[in-house]
Amino acid sequence: MTTQTFDPVAFKATTRQQWQDAAEAWHRWGPTIGDWLGAATDSMIELAHISEGARVLDVAAGAGEQSLPIAQLVGPSGKVVISDIAPELLFRAAGEAKAAGLDNVETLELDGEEVGTLAGSDYDAAVSRVGLIYFPDQQKALRGIHSALRDGGRFSTVVYSTPDENRFFSVPVGIIRGRAQLPPPLPGQPGPFSLGAPGVLEEALTTAGFTDVEVVAVPSPVRLPSAKDCVKFQRESFGALRQMMVSLSPEDREDTWREVEEALTEFEGPDGFVGPCTMLVGAGTVRH
């Protein structure tokens, strides 16, 4: 095993580049992502108490697939600010908003840990779908979000639950980690399952100052025609998996993906590929 150290500055720079590189694919796979995360997104919007006329901040919004329904919900008198660290993703999001005829959407290049620079903006709500888990300093991000919301404002986020409940993702991670001889994540290190253990998300929100905290589990199976299609989706869109393989030769990477595909065939059946996945949706209120 390689010796593991964690450099948050380098991690964020790598993360930004990953998403710059994956932006086109993440956007192209938008319909699949929407189907996969649709129920969790609906729950996130509901728990954020978003209504017509609201001003909403979407943190680590990616290509904005979840932002557009919010913009439609808040209507012309509302506003949605789509923020992300990767400008290529924001470019895609802006294009989708324009194509949908939505003029109540703005994009903002912003590191999720620097939302505190928006303190006092008095947003009615903030959301973050599968973004918070990858922040090196999750508390800094949560405190920043808290400061950007008005009194009574709500924050809602979607994160993965435990590896056992998300085997469509944890199986590839385990295989790649073994092939690349990577050690387990350090305690507190960001990653897909960093907020998934029982009570962890609740504690994170409470520590950041949110009240009325609630967390619900939402079954979110990944449905595709085959395991081969799931691997194609992950190869093209999941930059973190590619980054885990940087030390491998091109031949070893191909062998690794073949092993992943073979392992994922476990989830093929009469209805095609159904990858196990459970998301957690957590929310809390600001009380100044």
Side-chain angles (χ1 to χ4, degrees):
M1 290 288 182
T2 57
T3 301
Q4 186 177 19
T5 59
F6 182 70
D7 180 345
V9 175
F11 178 85
K12 285 200 285 187
T14 300
T15 298
R16 182 181 186 275
Q17 190 58 52
Q18 285 172 359
W19 286 112
Q20 286 284 90
D21 296 341
E24 185 277 330
W26 191 253
H27 176 260
R28 176 163 37 84
W29 283 93
T32 297
I33 296 165
D35 290 342
W36 162 37
L37 294 177
T41 301
D42 291 344
S43 181
M44 178 183 74
I45 293 171
E46 180 181 355
L47 290 182
H49 298 175
I50 296 171
S51 59
E52 186 174 358
R55 296 174 63 248
V56 182
L57 175 66
D58 194 340
V59 180
E65 186 272 332
Q66 74 288 344
S67 310
L68 303 191
I70 296 174
Q72 291 168 338
L73 178 61
V74 301
S77 60
K79 179 181 178 181
V80 177
V81 175
I82 302 175
S83 68
D84 199 273
I85 197 172
E88 277 296 321
L89 286 170
L90 294 174
F91 173 78
R92 308 285 175 178
E96 287 297 302
K98 182 177 180 180
L102 296 167
D103 56 9
N104 60 345
V105 172
E106 293 181 9
T107 59
L108 175 66
E109 185 178 341
L110 182 68
D111 180 338
E113 292 182 9
E114 301 303 326
V115 177
T117 59
L118 305 178
S121 298
D122 288 337
Y123 284 99
D124 298 297
V127 297
S128 184
R129 191 181 75 173
V130 200
L132 181 64
I133 49 178
Y134 294 114
F135 297 164
D137 192 338
Q138 293 167 352
Q139 274 301 306
K140 182 179 181 182
L142 286 169
R143 291 193 301 270
I145 292 167
H146 188 282
S147 72
L149 290 165
R150 64 168 174 80
D151 184 42
R154 292 276 288 180
F155 170 61
S156 184
T157 185
V158 177
V159 305
Y160 292 101
S161 61
T162 60
D164 286 348
E165 294 287 327
N166 289 276
R167 295 190 63 221
F168 94 98
F169 197 8
S170 62
V171 167
V173 167
I175 291 170
I176 294 168
R177 192 175 292 282
R179 286 283 195 131
Q181 297 188 315
L182 298 173
L186 295 168
Q189 187 173 336
F193 310 113
S194 57
L195 291 169
V200 172
L201 181 55
E202 291 95 330
E203 181 180 359
L205 291 168
T206 300
T207 300
F210 291 96
T211 63
D212 306 320
V213 171
E214 54 187 313
V215 175
V216 298
V218 181
S220 305
V222 179
R223 300 182 186 276
L224 287 163
S226 67
K228 184 180 183 70
D229 291 292
C230 184
V231 168
K232 180 176 173 61
F233 174 40
Q234 292 175 334
R235 288 189 71 151
E236 295 182 0
S237 303
F238 287 43
L241 296 181
R242 294 204 306 273
Q243 181 60 25
M244 290 173 68
M245 288 197 242
V246 293
S247 65
L248 299 179
S249 69
E251 295 79 8
D252 285 342
R253 291 175 198 170
E254 289 302 318
D255 284 343
T256 300
W257 282 119
R258 279 192 286 271
E259 184 179 348
V260 168
E261 182 180 333
E262 182 178 351
L264 290 180
T265 58
E266 173 188 354
F267 307 121
E268 290 184 337
D271 297 322
F273 177 85
V274 183
C277 174
T278 299
M279 308 304 288
L280 300 179
V281 184
T285 304
V286 171
R287 300 294 182 197
H288 291 306

